[in-house]
């Protein structure tokens, strides 16, 4: 994504600024992420009718903005990741485009963005899976599928960071999380 069109950069910057304002105002990261991500996605998707690749890039931009904003004010990037996934599921459900693929893309973006800001990738990945489980319950998606998609996406994201990141993330998302057996799907490349 070397060249972003101005509209896409605008979404990311807008979300980043909203997160900064919200966290500074309330000190609360998780709910700030849920509300900001969900609200921005609903508005953007309704405004553009984004589907497929456009939807994927919109989700990625919104999530990057959420992580960047949280990091800028020294907030808990793990909590932001968890809230962001819930926000993605709530927002995309509201406009009728929620899919398991969106969860995978979200986890991928969150892990990569966390790496950019020096976040703990294991914690971010685990929180992303927790967010997927919580969000899936709230919107009526299959919880095991959502958890698996988040774990798989997180590992893919880590694969774009380093081999060490892959091991860290794989260890963090394997086993039981929030009472759900999480199984990442191969291949990760």
């Amino acid at each position: 994504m070397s060249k972003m069109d101005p509209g896409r950069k605008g979404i990311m910057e807008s979300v980043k600024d909203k997160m900064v304002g919200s966290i500074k105002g309330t000190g609360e990261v998780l709910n700030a992420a849920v509300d900001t991500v969900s609200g921005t996605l609903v508005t953007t998707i309704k405004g553009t009718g984004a589907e497929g690749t456009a939807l994927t890039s919109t989700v990625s931009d919104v999530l990057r903005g959420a992580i960047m904003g949280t990091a800028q004010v020294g907030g808990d990037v793990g909590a932001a990741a968890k809230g962001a996934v819930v926000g993605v599921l709530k927002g995309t459900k509201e406009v009728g485009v929620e899919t398991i693929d969106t969860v995978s893309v979200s986890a991928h973006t969150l892990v990569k963005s966390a790496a950019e800001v020096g976040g703990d990738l294991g914690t971010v990945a685990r929180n992303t899976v927790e967010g997927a489980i919580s969000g899936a319950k709230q919107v009526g998606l299959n919880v095991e599928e959502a958890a698996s998609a988040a774990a798989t996406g997180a590992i893919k994201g880590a694969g774009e960071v380093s081999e060490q990141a892959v091991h860290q993330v794989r260890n963090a998302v394997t086993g039981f999380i929030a009472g759900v057996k999480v199984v990442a799907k191969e291949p990760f490349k």
Side-chain angles (χ1 to χ4, degrees), residues 33-34 37 41 63 79-92 102-104 106-107 110 124-125 127-136 146 150:
V34 172
V37 168
L41 284 175
L63 296 177
K82 183 175 181 176
V85 180
V86 173
V88 166
L89 285 167
K90 287 174 97 168
T92 54
T102 314
V103 174
S104 184
S106 298
L110 289 165
V124 166
N127 282 350
T128 300
V129 173
E130 287 175 6
I133 291 166
S134 173

Side-chain angles (χ1 to χ4, degrees), residues 9-110:
K9 188 171 188 322
I11 292 172
M12 196 191 91
E13 288 298 325
S14 164
V15 170
K16 185 175 119 181
D17 294 344
K18 282 181 189 162
M19 285 296 293
V20 167
S22 186
I23 295 167
K24 279 184 174 172
T26 64
E28 222 295 314
V29 176
L30 185 94
N31 291 333
V34 172
D35 296 345
T36 303
V37 168
S38 171
T40 305
L41 284 175
V42 168
T43 307
T44 307
I45 294 166
K46 281 183 175 170
T48 62
E51 290 177 29
T53 324
L55 175 64
T56 300
S57 63
T58 300
V59 167
S60 295
D61 294 339
V62 169
L63 296 177
R64 271 194 85 220
I67 294 297
M68 299 300 168
T70 303
Q72 186 177 315
V73 293
D76 180 343
V77 176
K82 183 175 181 176
V85 180
V86 173
V88 166
L89 285 167
K90 287 174 97 168
T92 54
K93 177 168 179 64
E94 191 172 322
V95 291
V97 294
E98 85 279 17
T99 64
I100 291 296
D101 287 347
T102 314
V103 174
S104 184
V105 166
S106 298
H108 179 238
T109 301
L110 289 165

Side-chain angles (χ1 to χ4, degrees), residues 100-101 103-105 107-108 125 128-130 132-133 136 142-156 173-175 177 180-188:
I100 291 296
D101 287 347
V103 174
S104 184
V105 166
H108 179 238
T128 300
V129 173
E130 287 175 6
I133 291 166
N142 178 304
V143 174
E144 286 79 13
E145 278 184 38
S148 172
T152 305
I155 294 168
K156 279 184 187 166
V173 299
T174 304
I177 297 178
V180 175
K181 182 163 179 36
V182 181
V183 181
K185 304 265 193 274
E186 303 277 353
F188 303 122

